[in-house]
Amino acid sequence: MVVDFEMNKVCAAGTGSFLEEQAEKLDISIKGEFGGLALSAEKPVRMGERCTVFIESDLVHHQQKGAQKDDLVAGLSYSIVQNYLNRVVEDRRIGNRIFFQGGTAFNKGVVAAFEKVLDKQIIVPENHDVTGAIGLPSWPKRRRHGSDRVSKDLI
């Protein structure tokens, strides 16, 4: 059962499209190369956890200093994780069973960064890109029956 959920706020919104834009600027495929490059990085660069505008500025700075693509991509992954933890999670407790849903969960670099930062396994469920859409229609029916739990007869 999901016990806590939070959507991205302004400075953490658009994470997937931001990563895709940066991948294009680095001349790499977000689907084919990004995750693998991030996983192979030896020295991920630090880009902070602020708004994506500032992260992008840090990316350009590190690129001008000669940072390797894999370290840049890994740095982007860690920045996205820190941004999410600081802007969305804030001071809430993080449990031991963590489900990562949405399109960004396709990105193995971001998943690995979450696991490393949190020192916990991240579960990416099947159909993670549409999980919210699958669960939403059954929610009013569950509420009408006085339960927030998913039962087999409602699926």
Side-chain angles (χ1 to χ4, degrees), residues 94-138:
I94 297 175
N96 291 319
R97 295 192 70 206
I98 303 166
F99 286 79
F100 187 10
Q101 68 178 28
T104 307
F106 278 115
N107 192 310
K108 297 195 182 314
V110 176
V111 174
F114 265 115
E115 289 181 330
K116 185 145 185 153
V117 168
L118 297 174
D119 195 27
K120 296 179 181 191
Q121 178 188 12
I122 302 297
I123 301 164
V124 178
E126 184 180 0
N127 302 315
H128 58 84
D129 52 332
V130 293
T131 310
I134 292 169
L136 185 61
S138 66

Side-chain angles (χ1 to χ4, degrees), residues 47-95:
M47 293 187 219
E49 43 70 37
R50 302 157 292 171
C51 187
T52 55
V53 172
F54 297 115
I55 295 171
E56 182 175 13
S57 177
D58 287 346
L59 174 70
V60 170
H61 172 76
H62 288 294
Q63 200 173 14
Q64 290 171 342
K65 290 178 76 175
Q68 299 297 309
K69 272 189 191 180
D70 56 349
D71 294 329
L72 292 169
V73 169
L76 280 169
S77 299
Y78 281 108
S79 290
I80 292 305
V81 168
Q82 292 300 335
N83 178 283
Y84 183 81
L85 293 173
N86 291 319
R87 304 281 184 253
V88 178
V89 175
E90 296 175 326
D91 60 351
R92 283 193 291 289
R93 184 181 85 71
I94 297 175

